[in-house]
Amino acid sequence: MATYSAQTDKSALALLGRRMAAFRIRSNWTQAQLAEQAGVSKGTVEHIERGDSVQVLNLIKVLRVCGMLETFLAIFPDDSPSPMQILRMGEVKARKRVRNPRSVNNSLGTNAPRGTGATNANANSVAENSAEYVAGGVASSTKGKTSAAKTKRKTPWVWGEDR
């Protein structure tokens, strides 16, 4: 979709040329002086002031001498990196998830609500009984030696069994 513009290309160049000539005259410079300071020919300055097409490099040289280069460059927004580009470049470390440490009541997977004062007696007995579990009622040995705790229990361990 085309955007309507009141300025044609030719009229925009002519307006730029008139404004450049007015600035040069206010600064008390001749076309030759401006051209010499900018490092371009006097004909280039004449072309700019007439509204003729010139090379962008020559226009930049003249704008620099006039002190208008920064204003000219401010036409377009700064192309600073987006937050995602900064993240990809590694300047910002990725956020890490913070986890709350588990409470003592819930550390072994009991269903007791936190803060109720319930103990882990069942969980402790499960841990102790699981160490004493004997498959098929026969105590297993560790490196050829049978521990007293493993030989003490001759029946298979059952979940929820009280001591």
Side-chain angles (χ1 to χ4, degrees):
M1 176 180 203
T3 305
Y4 174 75
S5 174
Q7 292 281 339
T8 64
D9 296 342
K10 292 277 186 184
S11 65
L13 283 173
L15 180 62
L16 178 66
R18 283 193 305 272
R19 289 182 180 180
M20 177 95 54
F23 179 83
R24 178 184 57 79
I25 292 168
R26 277 194 313 270
S27 301
N28 291 323
W29 291 334
T30 65
Q31 288 179 338
Q33 289 172 330
L34 178 58
E36 184 181 332
Q37 288 180 1
V40 297
S41 68
K42 181 179 176 250
T44 300
V45 175
E46 291 172 357
H47 285 292
I48 292 172
E49 291 182 358
R50 266 197 318 256
D52 293 340
S53 180
V54 294
Q55 290 183 359
V56 176
L57 181 60
N58 290 335
L59 177 64
I60 288 174
K61 289 178 180 181
V62 172
L63 289 172
R64 184 184 317 270
V65 170
C66 294
M68 297 293 176
L69 183 59
E70 292 301 319
T71 305
F72 178 72
L73 295 175
I75 294 170
F76 296 104
D78 185 22
D79 190 25
S80 59
S82 70
M84 287 305 295
Q85 289 172 331
I86 293 172
L87 184 66
R88 287 185 189 121
M89 289 187 295
E91 291 180 8
V92 177
K93 293 183 180 179
R95 293 177 60 188
K96 293 184 180 181
R97 183 174 177 183
V98 178
R99 296 179 185 226
N100 292 334
R102 292 184 175 186
S103 70
V104 175
N105 291 340
N106 210 13
S107 64
L108 292 175
T110 62
N111 292 329
R114 293 181 180 177
T116 59
T119 63
N120 284 332
N122 290 342
N124 289 338
S125 66
V126 169
E128 291 170 7
N129 289 339
S130 64
E132 297 173 0
Y133 175 71
V134 179
V138 179
S140 64
S141 64
T142 306
K143 294 185 181 179
K145 298 180 183 176
T146 307
S147 67
K150 289 184 179 178
T151 57
K152 179 173 100 176
R153 188 175 185 94
K154 297 293 182 186
T155 59
W157 176 77
V158 179
W159 181 262
E161 175 182 316
D162 293 330
R163 291 191 111 188

Short mmCIF file of all heavy atoms in Angstrom, two decimals, residues 11 16 32 35-38 41 47-48 72 78 99 101 113 115 119 133 144 150 152-153 156 161:
data_model
loop_
_atom_site.label_atom_id
_atom_site.label_comp_id
_atom_site.label_asym_id
_atom_site.label_seq_id
_atom_site.Cartn_x
_atom_site.Cartn_y
_atom_site.Cartn_z
N SER A 11 11.00 17.95 -5.61
CA SER A 11 10.71 19.07 -4.71
C SER A 11 11.45 18.92 -3.38
O SER A 11 11.86 19.91 -2.77
CB SER A 11 9.20 19.20 -4.47
OG SER A 11 8.71 18.07 -3.79
N LEU A 16 15.81 20.90 0.08
CA LEU A 16 17.08 20.68 0.75
C LEU A 16 18.14 21.66 0.24
O LEU A 16 18.89 22.24 1.04
CB LEU A 16 17.55 19.23 0.51
CG LEU A 16 18.91 18.85 1.11
CD1 LEU A 16 18.86 18.87 2.63
CD2 LEU A 16 19.34 17.49 0.61
N ALA A 32 32.58 28.36 -2.82
CA ALA A 32 33.96 27.88 -2.95
C ALA A 32 34.56 27.54 -1.59
O ALA A 32 35.26 26.53 -1.44
CB ALA A 32 34.81 28.91 -3.68
N ALA A 35 32.94 24.31 -0.34
CA ALA A 35 33.46 23.19 -1.11
C ALA A 35 34.88 22.83 -0.68
O ALA A 35 35.22 21.65 -0.54
CB ALA A 35 33.42 23.53 -2.60
N GLU A 36 35.70 23.83 -0.44
CA GLU A 36 37.08 23.57 -0.04
C GLU A 36 37.15 22.89 1.32
O GLU A 36 37.90 21.94 1.52
CB GLU A 36 37.86 24.89 -0.02
CG GLU A 36 39.34 24.71 0.30
CD GLU A 36 40.08 26.04 0.34
OE1 GLU A 36 39.66 26.99 -0.34
OE2 GLU A 36 41.08 26.11 1.07
N GLN A 37 36.36 23.39 2.28
CA GLN A 37 36.35 22.80 3.62
C GLN A 37 35.80 21.37 3.60
O GLN A 37 36.25 20.52 4.36
CB GLN A 37 35.52 23.65 4.57
CG GLN A 37 36.18 24.95 4.94
CD GLN A 37 35.30 25.78 5.89
OE1 GLN A 37 34.22 25.35 6.28
NE2 GLN A 37 35.79 26.95 6.25
N ALA A 38 34.84 21.11 2.71
CA ALA A 38 34.23 19.77 2.64
C ALA A 38 35.05 18.80 1.81
O ALA A 38 34.85 17.59 1.89
CB ALA A 38 32.81 19.87 2.06
N SER A 41 34.06 19.50 -4.97
CA SER A 41 34.20 20.60 -5.95
C SER A 41 33.13 21.65 -5.72
O SER A 41 32.09 21.38 -5.10
CB SER A 41 34.10 20.04 -7.37
OG SER A 41 32.79 19.60 -7.62
N HIS A 47 25.33 21.99 -7.34
CA HIS A 47 24.30 20.97 -7.62
C HIS A 47 23.38 20.76 -6.41
O HIS A 47 22.16 20.66 -6.57
CB HIS A 47 24.96 19.64 -8.00
CG HIS A 47 25.53 19.59 -9.37
ND1 HIS A 47 24.77 19.63 -10.51
CD2 HIS A 47 26.83 19.51 -9.78
CE1 HIS A 47 25.55 19.56 -11.57
NE2 HIS A 47 26.82 19.50 -11.15
N ILE A 48 23.96 20.70 -5.22
CA ILE A 48 23.15 20.50 -4.02
C ILE A 48 22.18 21.66 -3.85
O ILE A 48 20.99 21.46 -3.60
CB ILE A 48 24.05 20.35 -2.76
CG1 ILE A 48 24.85 19.04 -2.83
CG2 ILE A 48 23.20 20.37 -1.49
CD1 ILE A 48 25.90 18.90 -1.73
N PHE A 72 21.26 14.72 10.39
CA PHE A 72 20.93 13.90 9.23
C PHE A 72 20.86 12.42 9.62
O PHE A 72 19.95 11.70 9.20
CB PHE A 72 21.97 14.12 8.13
CG PHE A 72 21.77 13.29 6.90
CD1 PHE A 72 20.74 13.55 6.01
CD2 PHE A 72 22.62 12.23 6.61
CE1 PHE A 72 20.56 12.79 4.88
CE2 PHE A 72 22.44 11.45 5.48
CZ PHE A 72 21.40 11.74 4.61
N ASP A 78 18.10 4.50 16.09
CA ASP A 78 19.31 3.76 16.41
C ASP A 78 19.04 2.27 16.27
O ASP A 78 17.99 1.77 16.67
CB ASP A 78 19.75 4.09 17.83
CG ASP A 78 21.07 3.45 18.19
OD1 ASP A 78 21.83 3.10 17.27
OD2 ASP A 78 21.33 3.31 19.39
N ARG A 99 14.19 -22.61 43.33
CA ARG A 99 13.29 -23.56 44.00
C ARG A 99 13.42 -23.40 45.50
O ARG A 99 14.52 -23.21 46.02
CB ARG A 99 13.66 -24.99 43.61
CG ARG A 99 13.46 -25.25 42.15
CD ARG A 99 13.87 -26.67 41.84
NE ARG A 99 13.80 -26.88 40.42
CZ ARG A 99 13.23 -27.93 39.87
NH1 ARG A 99 12.70 -28.86 40.61
NH2 ARG A 99 13.20 -28.08 38.57
N PRO A 101 13.65 -24.87 49.14
CA PRO A 101 14.09 -26.17 49.67
C PRO A 101 12.91 -26.89 50.30
O PRO A 101 12.00 -26.26 50.85
CB PRO A 101 15.15 -25.79 50.71
CG PRO A 101 14.87 -24.38 51.05
CD PRO A 101 14.23 -23.76 49.85
N PRO A 113 1.00 -32.74 55.78
CA PRO A 113 1.09 -31.34 55.40
C PRO A 113 2.24 -30.66 56.13
O PRO A 113 2.57 -31.01 57.24
CB PRO A 113 -0.26 -30.75 55.81
CG PRO A 113 -1.10 -31.88 56.25
CD PRO A 113 -0.26 -33.07 56.42
N GLY A 115 4.26 -28.06 58.26
CA GLY A 115 3.94 -27.23 59.41
C GLY A 115 3.00 -27.89 60.40
O GLY A 115 2.56 -27.28 61.34
N THR A 119 5.85 -36.32 62.16
CA THR A 119 7.22 -36.82 62.06
C THR A 119 7.35 -37.75 60.88
O THR A 119 6.36 -38.18 60.30
CB THR A 119 7.61 -37.57 63.35
OG1 THR A 119 6.76 -38.70 63.46
CG2 THR A 119 7.49 -36.67 64.57
N TYR A 133 15.40 -55.75 53.76
CA TYR A 133 14.57 -56.59 52.90
C TYR A 133 15.36 -57.79 52.42
O TYR A 133 16.49 -57.68 51.96
CB TYR A 133 14.06 -55.78 51.71
CG TYR A 133 13.29 -56.62 50.72
CD1 TYR A 133 12.04 -57.10 51.03
CD2 TYR A 133 13.84 -56.95 49.49
CE1 TYR A 133 11.33 -57.87 50.14
CE2 TYR A 133 13.15 -57.72 48.58
CZ TYR A 133 11.89 -58.18 48.91
OH TYR A 133 11.20 -58.94 48.03
N GLY A 144 30.32 -61.25 50.38
CA GLY A 144 30.59 -62.50 51.06
C GLY A 144 30.34 -62.47 52.55
O GLY A 144 30.41 -63.46 53.22
N LYS A 150 20.78 -57.89 58.46
CA LYS A 150 20.16 -58.61 57.36
C LYS A 150 19.82 -60.04 57.75
O LYS A 150 18.85 -60.60 57.28
CB LYS A 150 21.08 -58.61 56.15
CG LYS A 150 21.17 -57.25 55.49
CD LYS A 150 22.01 -57.31 54.24
CE LYS A 150 22.05 -55.94 53.60
NZ LYS A 150 22.89 -55.92 52.41
N LYS A 152 19.03 -61.00 60.79
CA LYS A 152 18.04 -60.97 61.87
C LYS A 152 16.65 -61.21 61.33
O LYS A 152 15.83 -61.87 61.94
CB LYS A 152 18.14 -59.62 62.58
CG LYS A 152 17.15 -59.44 63.71
CD LYS A 152 17.43 -58.16 64.46
CE LYS A 152 16.46 -57.09 64.00
NZ LYS A 152 16.59 -55.86 64.74
N ARG A 153 16.34 -60.71 60.15
CA ARG A 153 15.00 -60.78 59.59
C ARG A 153 14.97 -61.88 58.55
O ARG A 153 15.65 -61.80 57.54
CB ARG A 153 14.65 -59.43 58.98
CG ARG A 153 13.25 -59.30 58.55
CD ARG A 153 13.05 -57.86 58.08
NE ARG A 153 11.69 -57.63 57.75
CZ ARG A 153 10.79 -57.13 58.58
NH1 ARG A 153 11.14 -56.74 59.76
NH2 ARG A 153 9.55 -56.99 58.19
N PRO A 156 10.09 -61.98 54.34
CA PRO A 156 10.13 -60.85 53.40
C PRO A 156 9.51 -59.60 53.99
O PRO A 156 8.57 -59.69 54.80
CB PRO A 156 9.34 -61.34 52.20
CG PRO A 156 9.18 -62.80 52.37
CD PRO A 156 9.33 -63.11 53.82
N GLU A 161 4.44 -52.50 57.21
CA GLU A 161 4.59 -53.41 58.32
C GLU A 161 5.18 -52.68 59.50
O GLU A 161 6.14 -51.93 59.36
CB GLU A 161 5.51 -54.55 57.88
CG GLU A 161 5.84 -55.52 59.00
CD GLU A 161 6.78 -56.59 58.50
OE1 GLU A 161 6.56 -57.11 57.40
OE2 GLU A 161 7.75 -56.85 59.20
#
